[in-house]
């Protein structure tokens, strides 16, 4: 408390000797400029209504902080998958939530971010040749759910199986996922 009082007293003394009002105005303007520059380097705090936040919360299956690292991860994955499948992020998220809920209905659990990662890997396999669209993402989700629910595969096995199936189809000259 004593040091705070001393600091305030010294600051007031220095400001009074330097043309107080002008110096304070100058310092406030400089602080505002620095705050503006710093704001450019800080990512915006996610809004709880933001799509990436919702996907991260669904993936966690629990409430999360808006500053949770999974929100940024969801944002990146949504962007990647949206670009790969040439489909709006909202539509990707809708199909993703449906797939996660279908696995949950069957008594399984699969984090939404894991499915998005699998879809991004699936979408990256021979990207030049593979037909990418909302239908391709829907086919991935449907086949993923089938692998998880009917076959009983783990997330890793389901994703690897779909990638192997896709690679085999590409090697045979197909441009679409069988099924």
């Amino acid at each position: 408390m004593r040091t705070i009082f001393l600091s305030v007293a010294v600051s007031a003394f220095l400001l009074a000797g330097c043309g107080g009002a002008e110096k304070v105005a100058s310092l406030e303007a400089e602080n505002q400029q620095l705050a503006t520059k710093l704001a450019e380097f800080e990512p915006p705090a996610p809004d709880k209504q933001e799509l990436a936040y919702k996907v991260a919360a669904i993936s966690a299956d629990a409430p999360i902080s808006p500053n949770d690292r999974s929100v940024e991860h969801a944002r990146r994955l949504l962007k990647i998958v949206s670009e790969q499948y040439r489909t709006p992020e909202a539509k990707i998220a809708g199909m993703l939530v449906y797939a996660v809920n279908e696995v949950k209905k069957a008594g399984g659990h699969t984090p939404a971010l894991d499915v998005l990662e699998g879809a991004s890997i699936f979408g990256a396999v021979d990207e030049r040749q593979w037909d990418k669209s909302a239908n391709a993402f829907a086919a991935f989700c449907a086949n993923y759910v089938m692998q998880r629910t009917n076959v009983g595969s783990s997330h890793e096995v389901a994703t690897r199986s779909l990638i192997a199936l896709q690679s085999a189809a590409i090697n045979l000259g197909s441009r679409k996922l069988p099924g």
Side-chain angles (χ1 to χ4, degrees):
M1 179 73 172
R2 187 174 182 190
T3 56
I4 293 173
F5 178 72
L6 185 58
S7 297
V8 170
V10 169
S11 298
F13 177 73
L14 289 173
L15 287 176
C18 299
E22 294 171 3
K23 186 67 174 176
V24 169
S26 171
L27 288 173
E28 285 178 355
E30 188 177 325
N31 277 346
Q32 184 60 39
Q33 289 174 343
L34 288 173
T36 303
K37 285 182 182 178
L38 284 175
E40 294 173 6
F41 294 105
E42 293 179 13
D47 180 10
K48 287 189 176 187
Q49 298 303 314
E50 180 188 5
L51 190 58
Y53 175 84
K54 290 177 181 179
V55 169
I58 288 167
S59 185
D61 204 20
I64 60 170
S65 162
N67 297 325
D68 193 288
R69 291 176 24 196
S70 64
V71 176
E72 183 59 32
H73 187 59
R75 188 179 294 123
R76 282 191 210 126
L77 284 172
L78 281 168
K79 184 177 188 297
I80 289 168
V81 172
S82 174
E83 289 172 359
Q84 285 176 327
Y85 293 93
R86 297 183 201 98
T87 304
E89 290 180 10
K91 193 168 185 175
I92 294 287
M95 288 186 270
L96 174 67
V97 169
Y98 181 79
V100 168
N101 286 337
E102 288 299 307
V103 173
K104 190 184 283 189
K105 280 183 200 174
H109 171 72
T110 191
L113 293 179
D114 288 355
V115 179
L116 269 180
E117 283 178 350
S120 71
I121 295 167
F122 182 82
V125 174
D126 202 357
E127 199 169 302
R128 298 159 301 173
Q129 181 178 347
W130 198 252
D131 180 31
K132 300 290 187 336
S133 65
N135 291 339
F137 183 75
F140 171 82
C141 287
N143 286 306
Y144 178 86
V145 168
M146 185 188 72
Q147 285 282 321
R148 292 296 312 276
T149 59
N150 294 351
V151 178
S153 300
S154 67
H155 164 72
E156 292 81 10
V157 170
T159 302
R160 287 183 191 147
S161 296
L162 291 172
I163 291 168
L165 180 63
Q166 177 191 39
S167 297
I170 289 171
N171 289 337
L172 293 173
S174 177
R175 295 176 65 82
K176 295 185 179 182
L177 180 65

